[in-house]
Amino acid sequence: MKRQLQIVLGILITFVAVAIVFHSCKPGKEAVKSEAVEAALATYVPPGDLDEFYLFYSGGHSGNIFVAGIPSMRHICTIPVFTPYPSTGYGFDAETKKMLGGYTWGDAHHPALSETNGDYDGRWLFINDNANNRIARIDLKDFKVKQILGPIPNLSGNHGSTFVTENTEYVTIATRFSVPIPKGTYVPVEEYAKKYHGIVALVEVDPKTGEMRMDEKHGFQVLMPPFNFDLGDAGKGPSHGWVFWTCYNSERATGILEITASQNDRDYIAAVNWKKAEEYLKQGKYKIINGVRVIDPKEAPGVVYLMPCAKSPHGVDVSPDGKWIVGSGKLQSITTVYNFEKMLKAIENKDFVGEEDGIPVLRYESVREAEVPVGLGPLHTQFDDKGYAYTSLFVESAIAKWKLGTWEVVDKIPIAYNIGHLCVPEGDTKHPAGKYVIALNKLSHGRHLTVGPSQPEASQLIDITGEKMKLLYDAFTEPEPHYAKAIRADKLKDKVIEVYQKGIDNKNPNAIWDEKDAKVVRKGNTVEVWMIAVRSRFQPWKIEVNQGDKVIIHLTNIEQTTDELHGFAICEYDINVVVDPGETKTIEFVANKPGVYPFYCTNFCSALHQEMQGYLLVKPKGGAGVAQK
Ligand code: RUQ
Ligand code: CUA
């Protein structure tokens, strides 16, 4: 406390000094300086203090999620999801290797925090892999991936994902690139318009365990025309039970899409009534395709409607009260607000202007509430706690602030470089926290020291508590930031664990907790090892095998002190795992290289960390002391 006071005093003295120095300058400069001082104070988290929010932002094709604190914007953790990550040994042990399914990367786009009654409940974080059609679930108890579902049947380019329904009944998935269905079928691309299909779908989430399921009994898919589905959002409050996805390429074109798919003046937002879909599922009105339930809208009226939307729409976002659906046509200067109630009325009145493969198209004029002149290239919208919406403008490099209900644009702030997504803490829930908006920029020229042709990425932290938005900070973010979600830190305070408690968090049948249980057991050509790691030794420290043996090591870190990690690396065997306190991991490999291979702890764990080592001794085939050629 005393130290903090000293620091705050120190800063104040500096500011007074700065103020005196600048007193003689032009008033303009002084104003600029005091704004900078204000901004510095607003983002300054004194040593020992903690940030107010966790920010989870996706790392695109790095396959990772990065965690930062708001308002400091300090990067505090990397969660490897679709990509092996040596720092935590992710993708090297048997379990995570199996989860990755042989893929070495993924394209992580849209993180989603689990919700209860439309608010973040701090249980899980989901994220999609646009490239390999998967979704992952991270447990916020320990910030680790617990499940990767997929590649999901029939889906191709899972971009419109992951968005959760009000009580995390489902997470969304959707096809960005239409393909012939069942996936795996061959049809010449010339027959695209008739024989290729899009899929929008909901993966079921077990309410207790978070387990995601899509099979013959769980979740479902909806067969769609060959449009490109882009982004989605789930309804809430009055619109609970519906999910919305934007799509482009209503032209059903192939080739150079920037031309061929920009012919129509309007594309669509697909509105899917999942409660209705559930009724059809109960009646057995679906087909099993590739092991999953697929509903054909032609045979299931009332499940899908299309709402015309400004050309090439991108983001679709539902307001906190669930009444408004905001769809942004990225080639226009307006964003369209749809009225959910009007949508229901238009459906009731069969106010249709046509159909697409049996899916009714609603009359635009009947469902739209307003066209908000936000500016050029609107992409995504977030909401605050005061009834305002914030729309990112890619072309204009700005954020527009506008009022829900009156639809007037009340403020605009320029962004350093083309903005993509934006994030208001809890800004897609029923109760946004407001306070900040983070602009996730697509390009960032000149905001950091240059490091060559590829410029460091920058995200900008903006204060939204006042009438006017105020830029506070240029933060470095790992490439390539797509969507981000931020949650009040106190929501996770009692949820995050400090160690894996023996028998409570660690129920691994291969865990051992005492040195006397450490052992090496041979069964035929398999050598199985139960090993412990504790400051600062491995037990057993010696593993003797024959060349060609399969080696299985169950390694338990028996420490019960937070942050006491141990690593386990075998030289030249490409083995590297990390065990957190109380964690057990299994390592499997074939001892195909003869000789003596040291293993050692990779995480600095004590003054005697360097002493934490042992040997893998591989007897050459033939039994002699030298390898046979
Ligand atoms: S979208 S490019 Cu999230 Cu704006 Cu993928
Ligand atoms: Cu254990 Cu270093």
Side-chain angles (χ1 to χ4, degrees), residues 533-538 557 559 564-568 600-606 608-613:
V534 68
R535 272 165 287 173
S536 282
R537 60 190 177 278
F538 294 109
N557 175 351
E559 309 268 2
E564 268 307 332
L565 324 185
H566 296 287
F568 178 86
Y600 69 99
C601 173
T602 49
N603 275 64
F604 203 98
C605 51
S606 78
L608 296 173
H609 153 81
Q610 285 299 79
E611 277 76 357
M612 192 165 172
Q613 63 171 62

PDB file of all heavy atoms in Angstrom, residues 533-538 557 559 564-568 600-606 608-613, ligand 2:
ATOM      1  N   ALA A 533       7.501 -35.825 -10.705  1.00  0.00           N
ATOM      2  CA  ALA A 533       8.399 -34.676 -10.777  1.00  0.00           C
ATOM      3  C   ALA A 533       8.132 -33.842  -9.537  1.00  0.00           C
ATOM      4  O   ALA A 533       6.977 -33.576  -9.200  1.00  0.00           O
ATOM      5  CB  ALA A 533       8.121 -33.860 -12.026  1.00  0.00           C
ATOM      6  N   VAL A 534       9.187 -33.499  -8.830  1.00  0.00           N
ATOM      7  CA  VAL A 534       9.059 -32.669  -7.634  1.00  0.00           C
ATOM      8  C   VAL A 534      10.395 -31.968  -7.441  1.00  0.00           C
ATOM      9  O   VAL A 534      11.428 -32.510  -7.868  1.00  0.00           O
ATOM     10  CB  VAL A 534       8.652 -33.539  -6.407  1.00  0.00           C
ATOM     11  CG1 VAL A 534       9.765 -34.492  -5.997  1.00  0.00           C
ATOM     12  CG2 VAL A 534       8.189 -32.679  -5.237  1.00  0.00           C
ATOM     13  N   ARG A 535      10.400 -30.789  -6.815  1.00  0.00           N
ATOM     14  CA  ARG A 535      11.659 -30.065  -6.660  1.00  0.00           C
ATOM     15  C   ARG A 535      12.715 -30.922  -5.992  1.00  0.00           C
ATOM     16  O   ARG A 535      12.496 -31.383  -4.872  1.00  0.00           O
ATOM     17  CB  ARG A 535      11.434 -28.803  -5.813  1.00  0.00           C
ATOM     18  CG  ARG A 535      11.021 -27.615  -6.633  1.00  0.00           C
ATOM     19  CD  ARG A 535      10.469 -26.532  -5.774  1.00  0.00           C
ATOM     20  NE  ARG A 535       9.138 -26.911  -5.290  1.00  0.00           N
ATOM     21  CZ  ARG A 535       8.462 -26.201  -4.389  1.00  0.00           C
ATOM     22  NH1 ARG A 535       8.991 -25.115  -3.861  1.00  0.00           N
ATOM     23  NH2 ARG A 535       7.273 -26.577  -3.989  1.00  0.00           N
ATOM     24  N   SER A 536      13.826 -31.177  -6.580  1.00  0.00           N
ATOM     25  CA  SER A 536      14.136 -30.948  -7.977  1.00  0.00           C
ATOM     26  C   SER A 536      14.675 -32.240  -8.547  1.00  0.00           C
ATOM     27  O   SER A 536      15.854 -32.424  -8.775  1.00  0.00           O
ATOM     28  CB  SER A 536      15.185 -29.845  -8.140  1.00  0.00           C
ATOM     29  OG  SER A 536      14.574 -28.586  -7.984  1.00  0.00           O
ATOM     30  N   ARG A 537      13.756 -33.181  -8.717  1.00  0.00           N
ATOM     31  CA  ARG A 537      14.144 -34.503  -9.243  1.00  0.00           C
ATOM     32  C   ARG A 537      12.996 -35.183  -9.974  1.00  0.00           C
ATOM     33  O   ARG A 537      11.824 -34.828  -9.790  1.00  0.00           O
ATOM     34  CB  ARG A 537      14.617 -35.405  -8.099  1.00  0.00           C
ATOM     35  CG  ARG A 537      13.550 -35.631  -7.053  1.00  0.00           C
ATOM     36  CD  ARG A 537      14.139 -36.328  -5.817  1.00  0.00           C
ATOM     37  NE  ARG A 537      13.123 -36.493  -4.781  1.00  0.00           N
ATOM     38  CZ  ARG A 537      12.778 -35.536  -3.926  1.00  0.00           C
ATOM     39  NH1 ARG A 537      13.344 -34.349  -3.967  1.00  0.00           N
ATOM     40  NH2 ARG A 537      11.843 -35.762  -3.015  1.00  0.00           N
ATOM     41  N   PHE A 538      13.397 -36.137 -10.812  1.00  0.00           N
ATOM     42  CA  PHE A 538      12.431 -37.065 -11.400  1.00  0.00           C
ATOM     43  C   PHE A 538      12.662 -38.413 -10.718  1.00  0.00           C
ATOM     44  O   PHE A 538      13.790 -38.791 -10.430  1.00  0.00           O
ATOM     45  CB  PHE A 538      12.694 -37.252 -12.901  1.00  0.00           C
ATOM     46  CG  PHE A 538      12.458 -36.026 -13.727  1.00  0.00           C
ATOM     47  CD1 PHE A 538      13.523 -35.329 -14.283  1.00  0.00           C
ATOM     48  CD2 PHE A 538      11.162 -35.575 -13.968  1.00  0.00           C
ATOM     49  CE1 PHE A 538      13.316 -34.201 -15.057  1.00  0.00           C
ATOM     50  CE2 PHE A 538      10.947 -34.453 -14.754  1.00  0.00           C
ATOM     51  CZ  PHE A 538      12.031 -33.766 -15.295  1.00  0.00           C
ATOM     52  N   ASN A 557       3.270 -34.224 -11.676  1.00  0.00           N
ATOM     53  CA  ASN A 557       3.936 -33.202 -10.870  1.00  0.00           C
ATOM     54  C   ASN A 557       3.230 -33.215  -9.525  1.00  0.00           C
ATOM     55  O   ASN A 557       2.077 -32.802  -9.421  1.00  0.00           O
ATOM     56  CB  ASN A 557       3.787 -31.843 -11.566  1.00  0.00           C
ATOM     57  CG  ASN A 557       4.347 -30.690 -10.740  1.00  0.00           C
ATOM     58  OD1 ASN A 557       4.706 -30.865  -9.563  1.00  0.00           O
ATOM     59  ND2 ASN A 557       4.410 -29.511 -11.340  1.00  0.00           N
ATOM     60  N   GLU A 559       3.724 -31.549  -6.875  1.00  0.00           N
ATOM     61  CA  GLU A 559       3.701 -30.283  -6.123  1.00  0.00           C
ATOM     62  C   GLU A 559       2.255 -29.837  -5.899  1.00  0.00           C
ATOM     63  O   GLU A 559       1.405 -30.032  -6.763  1.00  0.00           O
ATOM     64  CB  GLU A 559       4.396 -29.176  -6.924  1.00  0.00           C
ATOM     65  CG  GLU A 559       5.768 -29.521  -7.436  1.00  0.00           C
ATOM     66  CD  GLU A 559       6.867 -29.103  -6.481  1.00  0.00           C
ATOM     67  OE1 GLU A 559       6.545 -28.567  -5.397  1.00  0.00           O
ATOM     68  OE2 GLU A 559       8.037 -29.315  -6.831  1.00  0.00           O
ATOM     69  N   GLU A 564       4.418 -23.890  -9.337  1.00  0.00           N
ATOM     70  CA  GLU A 564       5.578 -24.798  -9.315  1.00  0.00           C
ATOM     71  C   GLU A 564       5.464 -25.819 -10.451  1.00  0.00           C
ATOM     72  O   GLU A 564       5.059 -26.956 -10.250  1.00  0.00           O
ATOM     73  CB  GLU A 564       5.703 -25.500  -7.954  1.00  0.00           C
ATOM     74  CG  GLU A 564       6.590 -24.763  -6.978  1.00  0.00           C
ATOM     75  CD  GLU A 564       7.993 -24.421  -7.486  1.00  0.00           C
ATOM     76  OE1 GLU A 564       8.531 -25.144  -8.355  1.00  0.00           O
ATOM     77  OE2 GLU A 564       8.556 -23.420  -7.025  1.00  0.00           O
ATOM     78  N   LEU A 565       5.797 -25.367 -11.636  1.00  0.00           N
ATOM     79  CA  LEU A 565       5.712 -26.242 -12.799  1.00  0.00           C
ATOM     80  C   LEU A 565       7.023 -27.000 -12.959  1.00  0.00           C
ATOM     81  O   LEU A 565       8.070 -26.546 -12.518  1.00  0.00           O
ATOM     82  CB  LEU A 565       5.497 -25.451 -14.091  1.00  0.00           C
ATOM     83  CG  LEU A 565       4.637 -24.205 -14.126  1.00  0.00           C
ATOM     84  CD1 LEU A 565       4.526 -23.727 -15.561  1.00  0.00           C
ATOM     85  CD2 LEU A 565       3.281 -24.494 -13.575  1.00  0.00           C
ATOM     86  N   HIS A 566       6.924 -28.134 -13.619  1.00  0.00           N
ATOM     87  CA  HIS A 566       8.128 -28.812 -14.079  1.00  0.00           C
ATOM     88  C   HIS A 566       7.945 -29.155 -15.545  1.00  0.00           C
ATOM     89  O   HIS A 566       6.825 -29.352 -16.009  1.00  0.00           O
ATOM     90  CB  HIS A 566       8.383 -30.099 -13.285  1.00  0.00           C
ATOM     91  CG  HIS A 566       8.656 -29.842 -11.834  1.00  0.00           C
ATOM     92  ND1 HIS A 566       9.828 -29.300 -11.382  1.00  0.00           N
ATOM     93  CD2 HIS A 566       7.874 -30.028 -10.744  1.00  0.00           C
ATOM     94  CE1 HIS A 566       9.773 -29.172 -10.061  1.00  0.00           C
ATOM     95  NE2 HIS A 566       8.588 -29.609  -9.644  1.00  0.00           N
ATOM     96  N   GLY A 567       9.049 -29.186 -16.241  1.00  0.00           N
ATOM     97  CA  GLY A 567       9.002 -29.589 -17.636  1.00  0.00           C
ATOM     98  C   GLY A 567       9.695 -30.928 -17.792  1.00  0.00           C
ATOM     99  O   GLY A 567      10.376 -31.400 -16.875  1.00  0.00           O
ATOM    100  N   PHE A 568       9.504 -31.541 -18.923  1.00  0.00           N
ATOM    101  CA  PHE A 568      10.170 -32.823 -19.183  1.00  0.00           C
ATOM    102  C   PHE A 568      10.521 -32.881 -20.654  1.00  0.00           C
ATOM    103  O   PHE A 568       9.642 -32.959 -21.514  1.00  0.00           O
ATOM    104  CB  PHE A 568       9.235 -33.985 -18.809  1.00  0.00           C
ATOM    105  CG  PHE A 568       9.813 -35.347 -19.090  1.00  0.00           C
ATOM    106  CD1 PHE A 568      10.630 -35.981 -18.165  1.00  0.00           C
ATOM    107  CD2 PHE A 568       9.528 -36.009 -20.281  1.00  0.00           C
ATOM    108  CE1 PHE A 568      11.160 -37.250 -18.422  1.00  0.00           C
ATOM    109  CE2 PHE A 568      10.053 -37.270 -20.547  1.00  0.00           C
ATOM    110  CZ  PHE A 568      10.868 -37.898 -19.618  1.00  0.00           C
ATOM    111  N   TYR A 600      15.499 -33.777 -19.008  1.00  0.00           N
ATOM    112  CA  TYR A 600      15.685 -32.726 -18.007  1.00  0.00           C
ATOM    113  C   TYR A 600      14.433 -31.872 -17.868  1.00  0.00           C
ATOM    114  O   TYR A 600      13.545 -31.916 -18.699  1.00  0.00           O
ATOM    115  CB  TYR A 600      16.894 -31.855 -18.369  1.00  0.00           C
ATOM    116  CG  TYR A 600      16.699 -30.985 -19.592  1.00  0.00           C
ATOM    117  CD1 TYR A 600      16.368 -29.632 -19.456  1.00  0.00           C
ATOM    118  CD2 TYR A 600      16.832 -31.493 -20.889  1.00  0.00           C
ATOM    119  CE1 TYR A 600      16.174 -28.827 -20.570  1.00  0.00           C
ATOM    120  CE2 TYR A 600      16.637 -30.694 -22.000  1.00  0.00           C
ATOM    121  CZ  TYR A 600      16.318 -29.369 -21.834  1.00  0.00           C
ATOM    122  OH  TYR A 600      16.121 -28.566 -22.932  1.00  0.00           O
ATOM    123  N   CYS A 601      14.409 -31.115 -16.778  1.00  0.00           N
ATOM    124  CA  CYS A 601      13.281 -30.217 -16.510  1.00  0.00           C
ATOM    125  C   CYS A 601      13.505 -28.896 -17.260  1.00  0.00           C
ATOM    126  O   CYS A 601      14.582 -28.314 -17.196  1.00  0.00           O
ATOM    127  CB  CYS A 601      13.162 -29.957 -15.015  1.00  0.00           C
ATOM    128  SG  CYS A 601      11.937 -28.707 -14.589  1.00  0.00           S
ATOM    129  N   THR A 602      12.474 -28.443 -17.983  1.00  0.00           N
ATOM    130  CA  THR A 602      12.613 -27.229 -18.805  1.00  0.00           C
ATOM    131  C   THR A 602      12.126 -25.962 -18.106  1.00  0.00           C
ATOM    132  O   THR A 602      12.365 -24.868 -18.599  1.00  0.00           O
ATOM    133  CB  THR A 602      11.800 -27.379 -20.099  1.00  0.00           C
ATOM    134  OG1 THR A 602      10.493 -27.824 -19.756  1.00  0.00           O
ATOM    135  CG2 THR A 602      12.445 -28.355 -21.062  1.00  0.00           C
ATOM    136  N   ASN A 603      11.407 -26.113 -17.000  1.00  0.00           N
ATOM    137  CA  ASN A 603      10.877 -24.931 -16.309  1.00  0.00           C
ATOM    138  C   ASN A 603      11.719 -24.647 -15.078  1.00  0.00           C
ATOM    139  O   ASN A 603      11.838 -25.510 -14.196  1.00  0.00           O
ATOM    140  CB  ASN A 603       9.444 -25.177 -15.848  1.00  0.00           C
ATOM    141  CG  ASN A 603       8.456 -24.888 -16.945  1.00  0.00           C
ATOM    142  OD1 ASN A 603       8.462 -25.560 -17.983  1.00  0.00           O
ATOM    143  ND2 ASN A 603       7.636 -23.887 -16.735  1.00  0.00           N
ATOM    144  N   PHE A 604      12.246 -23.453 -14.994  1.00  0.00           N
ATOM    145  CA  PHE A 604      13.081 -23.139 -13.843  1.00  0.00           C
ATOM    146  C   PHE A 604      12.252 -23.262 -12.563  1.00  0.00           C
ATOM    147  O   PHE A 604      11.284 -22.541 -12.360  1.00  0.00           O
ATOM    148  CB  PHE A 604      13.667 -21.733 -13.962  1.00  0.00           C
ATOM    149  CG  PHE A 604      14.902 -21.593 -13.137  1.00  0.00           C
ATOM    150  CD1 PHE A 604      16.158 -21.722 -13.704  1.00  0.00           C
ATOM    151  CD2 PHE A 604      14.804 -21.388 -11.763  1.00  0.00           C
ATOM    152  CE1 PHE A 604      17.300 -21.634 -12.919  1.00  0.00           C
ATOM    153  CE2 PHE A 604      15.944 -21.314 -10.982  1.00  0.00           C
ATOM    154  CZ  PHE A 604      17.193 -21.437 -11.556  1.00  0.00           C
ATOM    155  N   CYS A 605      12.612 -24.239 -11.708  1.00  0.00           N
ATOM    156  CA  CYS A 605      11.718 -24.558 -10.589  1.00  0.00           C
ATOM    157  C   CYS A 605      12.348 -24.349  -9.224  1.00  0.00           C
ATOM    158  O   CYS A 605      11.651 -24.244  -8.219  1.00  0.00           O
ATOM    159  CB  CYS A 605      11.219 -25.990 -10.733  1.00  0.00           C
ATOM    160  SG  CYS A 605      12.535 -27.184 -10.992  1.00  0.00           S
ATOM    161  N   SER A 606      13.656 -24.308  -9.144  1.00  0.00           N
ATOM    162  CA  SER A 606      14.307 -24.081  -7.844  1.00  0.00           C
ATOM    163  C   SER A 606      15.768 -23.786  -8.114  1.00  0.00           C
ATOM    164  O   SER A 606      16.222 -23.854  -9.257  1.00  0.00           O
ATOM    165  CB  SER A 606      14.193 -25.328  -6.966  1.00  0.00           C
ATOM    166  OG  SER A 606      15.147 -26.290  -7.376  1.00  0.00           O
ATOM    167  N   LEU A 608      18.020 -25.649  -7.616  1.00  0.00           N
ATOM    168  CA  LEU A 608      18.626 -26.871  -8.139  1.00  0.00           C
ATOM    169  C   LEU A 608      17.909 -27.388  -9.385  1.00  0.00           C
ATOM    170  O   LEU A 608      17.929 -28.582  -9.682  1.00  0.00           O
ATOM    171  CB  LEU A 608      18.677 -27.942  -7.037  1.00  0.00           C
ATOM    172  CG  LEU A 608      19.576 -27.544  -5.863  1.00  0.00           C
ATOM    173  CD1 LEU A 608      19.467 -28.545  -4.734  1.00  0.00           C
ATOM    174  CD2 LEU A 608      21.041 -27.411  -6.302  1.00  0.00           C
ATOM    175  N   HIS A 609      17.288 -26.456 -10.093  1.00  0.00           N
ATOM    176  CA  HIS A 609      16.600 -26.811 -11.338  1.00  0.00           C
ATOM    177  C   HIS A 609      17.530 -27.501 -12.329  1.00  0.00           C
ATOM    178  O   HIS A 609      17.162 -28.487 -12.963  1.00  0.00           O
ATOM    179  CB  HIS A 609      15.995 -25.530 -11.933  1.00  0.00           C
ATOM    180  CG  HIS A 609      15.834 -25.541 -13.412  1.00  0.00           C
ATOM    181  ND1 HIS A 609      14.771 -26.161 -14.026  1.00  0.00           N
ATOM    182  CD2 HIS A 609      16.600 -25.015 -14.402  1.00  0.00           C
ATOM    183  CE1 HIS A 609      14.888 -25.994 -15.340  1.00  0.00           C
ATOM    184  NE2 HIS A 609      15.986 -25.309 -15.598  1.00  0.00           N
ATOM    185  N   GLN A 610      18.731 -27.003 -12.426  1.00  0.00           N
ATOM    186  CA  GLN A 610      19.674 -27.600 -13.388  1.00  0.00           C
ATOM    187  C   GLN A 610      20.002 -29.052 -13.041  1.00  0.00           C
ATOM    188  O   GLN A 610      20.371 -29.829 -13.906  1.00  0.00           O
ATOM    189  CB  GLN A 610      20.977 -26.795 -13.460  1.00  0.00           C
ATOM    190  CG  GLN A 610      20.905 -25.474 -14.208  1.00  0.00           C
ATOM    191  CD  GLN A 610      20.533 -25.594 -15.656  1.00  0.00           C
ATOM    192  OE1 GLN A 610      19.368 -25.753 -15.990  1.00  0.00           O
ATOM    193  NE2 GLN A 610      21.521 -25.517 -16.545  1.00  0.00           N
ATOM    194  N   GLU A 611      19.848 -29.396 -11.766  1.00  0.00           N
ATOM    195  CA  GLU A 611      20.144 -30.764 -11.338  1.00  0.00           C
ATOM    196  C   GLU A 611      18.996 -31.721 -11.643  1.00  0.00           C
ATOM    197  O   GLU A 611      19.110 -32.917 -11.457  1.00  0.00           O
ATOM    198  CB  GLU A 611      20.428 -30.786  -9.825  1.00  0.00           C
ATOM    199  CG  GLU A 611      21.842 -30.412  -9.443  1.00  0.00           C
ATOM    200  CD  GLU A 611      22.144 -28.915  -9.512  1.00  0.00           C
ATOM    201  OE1 GLU A 611      21.255 -28.127  -9.914  1.00  0.00           O
ATOM    202  OE2 GLU A 611      23.264 -28.532  -9.182  1.00  0.00           O
ATOM    203  N   MET A 612      17.855 -31.165 -12.072  1.00  0.00           N
ATOM    204  CA  MET A 612      16.667 -32.006 -12.278  1.00  0.00           C
ATOM    205  C   MET A 612      16.778 -32.689 -13.638  1.00  0.00           C
ATOM    206  O   MET A 612      16.357 -32.146 -14.657  1.00  0.00           O
ATOM    207  CB  MET A 612      15.413 -31.132 -12.174  1.00  0.00           C
ATOM    208  CG  MET A 612      14.137 -31.946 -12.089  1.00  0.00           C
ATOM    209  SD  MET A 612      12.772 -30.927 -11.531  1.00  0.00           S
ATOM    210  CE  MET A 612      11.423 -32.084 -11.760  1.00  0.00           C
ATOM    211  N   GLN A 613      17.344 -33.863 -13.657  1.00  0.00           N
ATOM    212  CA  GLN A 613      17.625 -34.547 -14.917  1.00  0.00           C
ATOM    213  C   GLN A 613      17.674 -36.055 -14.737  1.00  0.00           C
ATOM    214  O   GLN A 613      17.619 -36.554 -13.612  1.00  0.00           O
ATOM    215  CB  GLN A 613      18.971 -34.065 -15.466  1.00  0.00           C
ATOM    216  CG  GLN A 613      20.144 -34.408 -14.538  1.00  0.00           C
ATOM    217  CD  GLN A 613      21.480 -34.138 -15.188  1.00  0.00           C
ATOM    218  OE1 GLN A 613      21.798 -33.012 -15.526  1.00  0.00           O
ATOM    219  NE2 GLN A 613      22.271 -35.194 -15.364  1.00  0.00           N
TER     220      GLN A 613
HETATM  221 CU1  CUA B   2      11.734 -28.862 -12.254  1.00  0.00          CU
HETATM  222 CU2  CUA B   2      13.158 -27.291 -13.229  1.00  0.00          CU
END
